[in-house]
Amino acid sequence: MAAPSNAKASDAPRARIALVGCNHRTAPVELRERLAFTSQQALDAATELRRQGILEEAVILSTCNRSELYGVTMETSPTPADAMEEFLTSFHRIPRSQLDGRVYRWSGADAVRHLFRVAAGLDSMLLGEAEILGQLRTAYGEALARGVTGPVLNRVFQGALEVGKRVRSETEIGSRPMSVALAGVKLAERIFGNLKGHSAMILGAGEVAGQVAQQLRYRGIGSLRIVNRSYAHAAELAGRMDGEAVAWESLEKIMPEADVIVTSVGGADVVLTRAALDSAITARGGRPIFVVDLGVPRNVAPESAGLYNLYLYNVDDLGEIVEQNKKAREAEIPRAESIVAAHVAKFEAWRGRLGAAETVRHSIGLRDASESGEDQD
C-alpha cells in the first residue's frame, strides 16, 4: 500500500499576478528608451519569460512613458519580481545597478489596480491621454494572438479595457482628451504663435504621427510634409491630411524648408543628427527650427540641444502643459478612481472563485491518488 499523503486541499498552489516596470515618474527618458520594447521584442520577451519558467502568462506594455512586464506565477515561486527584473536587465543588456530606485514592483490586487489606473489614463503624464487605451489593447491583443496569455491575464486585461472605456464615457477625463501629439503642437504655437504660413515636417506615419498631422491641420499649418521609411505609408497619411509625401532619402535635402519638425519613428536609431540639424539651420540663414521628438527611444541626437536657434523638446519636456491639463481635469479623478476600485473588487471576487475551484480540483486529485494507492500492494 502506498504511504498516505500529508498534502491538504488548502496546499493547492494559486495563481499570483506580478508586475515589474518603470514609467515617466520613476525613470528619465534616457533610461526609458533603453528599456523600451518594440512590438516584436515584447512578444519575443514574453515567450522567453514563459520558456524559462519565470512566468506562466505574460504581457509586456511598452510606450513612450512606460515599460511594464505583467505576469502570472504560482505562489510556490518565492520572488518572481526578482526574476522578472533580472530578465528585464538581461534582455536589454543593462547593469541591474542602473535600475536602483527606478523600477516599481506590484503584486496581487495592487498590480491589478495599477493596470486599471493605466487604462483609465490616471497614471499617464497627460491625465486622460488618448493613446494609452489603444496601446494597451494592441499589446494585449498581440500577446493573446501569440498565445502567451492565459485565463488570469485575459481576465485582467479585459477588465482594464472595460475600465478605460467606462472612465472615458462616464467622467470628464475623457472629454477633449490630451495627447502627446496635441501637447507638442501647443509647444510649437508658443514659439511661432499662429501656425498659418509656417511649414511642418513629420517623420513617421504611425498613429501618433497621424494625430500630430491632424492637430497641425486643425491649427492652420501652411504646408505639411510626411517623411517615412515606407513611402507608401507616408503617401497614405499625406493623402488623408492634404499633405505631401517625401521619400526618406530626401529627408536632409528638405529639412531647411521646415519651421516645425515632429518625429515619431519606431526603432532604436537616431534619425536626426546634430550635423544634419546644424546644416539645416545654416541653410535657413539662421532662422530657428522647432523640433519635438516624440520617439522613445529618442529620434533626435540629444547633443543637438546645444545648437543655436534650435528649439528641441522630447516627451519629458511637456511639464507645463501636463500641469495645465491636470488642473483642468483633476476634479474628475475621484470618480475615475471609484470606477477603478469597483473593477478591482470585481476581479478579486473572480480570483477568489477561481482559487476555490483550484482547491476543489486539488482535493479531488489528492483523493483519487489516495484511492489509487490503496489498491496497490
Side-chain angles (χ1 to χ4, degrees), residues 35-111:
L35 294 173
F37 294 83
T38 65
S39 295
Q40 187 60 51
Q41 286 176 331
L43 294 176
D44 292 344
T47 300
E48 189 63 16
L49 281 162
R50 296 178 75 240
R51 189 193 70 79
Q52 293 184 21
I54 297 172
L55 299 174
E56 297 195 358
E57 306 177 27
V59 175
I60 295 177
L61 176 63
S62 185
T63 73
C64 62
N65 285 329
R66 71 187 66 249
S67 287
E68 296 178 337
L69 278 60
Y70 292 87
V72 172
T73 67
M74 301 310 290
E75 289 181 343
T76 52
S77 176
T79 55
D82 283 344
M84 292 166 71
E85 188 173 322
E86 182 64 35
F87 177 88
L88 181 64
T89 56
S90 174
F91 186 89
H92 290 293
R93 300 178 182 178
I94 296 175
R96 193 166 181 179
S97 60
Q98 294 190 12
L99 298 190
D100 288 347
R102 304 294 191 182
V103 172
Y104 42 82
R105 301 176 171 194
W106 299 108
S107 62
D110 291 330

Side-chain angles (χ1 to χ4, degrees), residues 173-192:
I173 284 180
S175 66
R176 294 179 298 162
M178 180 60 75
S179 66
V180 292
L182 176 55
V185 173
K186 282 182 173 290
L187 278 175
E189 288 183 317
R190 293 186 179 183
I191 302 298
F192 293 104

Side-chain angles (χ1 to χ4, degrees), residues 8 21 27 37 66 91-92 117 125 128 146 155 166 246 269 311 321 334:
K8 301 177 182 179
F37 294 83
R66 71 187 66 249
F91 186 89
H92 290 293
R117 295 187 78 254
M125 176 184 289
R146 173 64 74 91
R155 187 83 177 201
R166 282 195 61 190
V246 177
D269 296 332
Y311 297 88
I321 291 177

Side-chain angles (χ1 to χ4, degrees), residues 49 109 115 126 172 179 316 320 322:
L49 281 162
L115 176 61
L126 300 168
E172 293 300 313
S179 66
D316 282 359
E320 187 177 344
V322 168

Side-chain angles (χ1 to χ4, degrees), residues 2 22 72 76 109 137 151 167 171 177 204 235 241 245 263 295 298 324 328 370 374:
C22 69
V72 172
T76 52
R137 182 183 294 107
V167 168
T171 76
M241 296 298 167
T263 69
R298 285 171 291 179
Q324 292 175 352
S370 175
E374 288 175 355

